[in-house]
Amino acid sequence: MLQLYFFPMACSLSSRIALLEAGLDAQYHFAHIWTKKVVDDDSDFRGVSPKGAVPVLVLENGERLTESAAVLQYIADLKPATGLAPAFGDPDRYRLQEWLSFIGAEIHKGFLYPTFWYKDDGSLSKPRARITPTLSVPSAHLADREFLVGDRFTAADAHLTWALLVLRPAGVDIAQWPSLSAYLERMQARPAVREAIATEMALRKTLAA
Amino acid sequence: MLQLYFFPMACSLSSRIALLEAGLDAQYHFAHIWTKKVVDDDSDFRGVSPKGAVPVLVLENGERLTESAAVLQYIADLKPATGLAPAFGDPDRYRLQEWLSFIGAEIHKGFLYPTFWYKDDGSLSKPRARITPTLSVPSAHLADREFLVGDRFTAADAHLTWALLVLRPAGVDIAQWPSLSAYLERMQARPAVREAIATEMALRKTLAA
């Protein structure tokens, strides 16, 4: 069975969403990315992945795959009929990769990561100034589209859904981009998305306590 | 014919390397990413891509593809025999995607981008502290391997070659990671890599003057 190492409401949420959308069973391991411990057994998470970051997907053959862009495509390709990734050879496959890269690099690594890990204002004025032009890209794209790629939910939507959810605790109110808030509402109406968020929000609360 | 919008020695260098390695003809347009002007005709680069970032690959059908991870896979798939990307269905394809994501997010957007665009020390202490653990990942991986993925040059090598080249002007001496400096030397011995760098270094010098 597939295994996913995750941290509640971190970017591994999109891999959980993809697994649920694909109807794939998986074993989930809570990896505490602050302490680098696996919560199940208090073992060293760096023994699972030297990067110490989530997601880590343990494949059926025991190999470990990291990086959301790769993990999401791997999950999607296990269930091609779900359309979570356009088939290889479909030009939209490159659009999926384009969005996964943009979300991972510009929204996540360019803004969310420094916001949650660097914290101090000196590190954050430049990333903060960039998030508005950054978000104008998906906002314009989604003005007349239901999904990021083609006409169905893909792994790119799973990833953007996570990013948009986390923008609020990062201090960005997405209400200023009506196409993004309407999109997030549509995505959150999906049962798999709702289930993934409910599971991880419950776990997240155990951390704050 | 394919067209590539590039800025000399920016991350679009890896797309030029991939085009040359694949033996693909292309028209190259110098896009000035500081002024957002296309140098050919002084037109607005944001008219080509609202992101105002390179690379932009104009496909045979006129569509525009952005983000190195997507552009590199597109180029590679045009010439499958070159092995620039493992075929779809080959588990190594996900390893390629994993490395493209890591290089794009952790090395480029996490370190090189703030270094060259944010400049001030307040923004840079945290990214600078992270680059050593970040580079330990490819350094360990390449300790006993010639290439990042499988046993031949792929688009991931094109991308890491660019990132390693640019680390020096970003103030990081990669000599402290012998496996990385040996790797960079091997990559730079490749005719396509040498040609791409020579072309862009010559153009880069016109900027400094």
Side-chain angles (χ1 to χ4, degrees), chain B residues 107-184:
Chain B
I107 307 181
H108 182 193
K109 208 50 61 167
F111 178 76
L112 295 170
Y113 185 92
T115 300
F116 291 118
W117 289 88
Y118 297 167
K119 295 189 174 90
D120 64 291
D121 284 345
S123 300
L124 291 181
S125 61
K126 300 285 175 70
R128 270 196 206 113
R130 269 176 50 78
I131 191 63
T132 299
T134 295
L135 290 175
S136 73
V137 175
S139 165
H141 184 76
L142 288 166
D144 55 0
R145 286 181 183 87
E146 194 173 347
F147 302 103
L148 282 176
V149 179
D151 57 3
R152 62 198 294 186
F153 183 91
T154 68
D157 296 303
H159 211 36
L160 184 59
T161 295
W162 163 73
L164 294 179
L165 280 170
V166 178
L167 281 166
R168 182 175 307 177
V172 177
D173 181 3
I174 64 160
Q176 54 196 300
W177 296 279
S179 66
L180 294 182
S181 34
Y183 168 85
L184 182 57

Side-chain angles (χ1 to χ4, degrees), chain A residues 187-204:
Chain A
M187 297 304 113
Q188 286 187 274
R190 300 176 70 86
V193 173
R194 238 183 0 239
E195 181 185 336
I197 295 170
T199 302
E200 296 210 358
M201 282 303 286
L203 288 168
R204 183 82 189 200

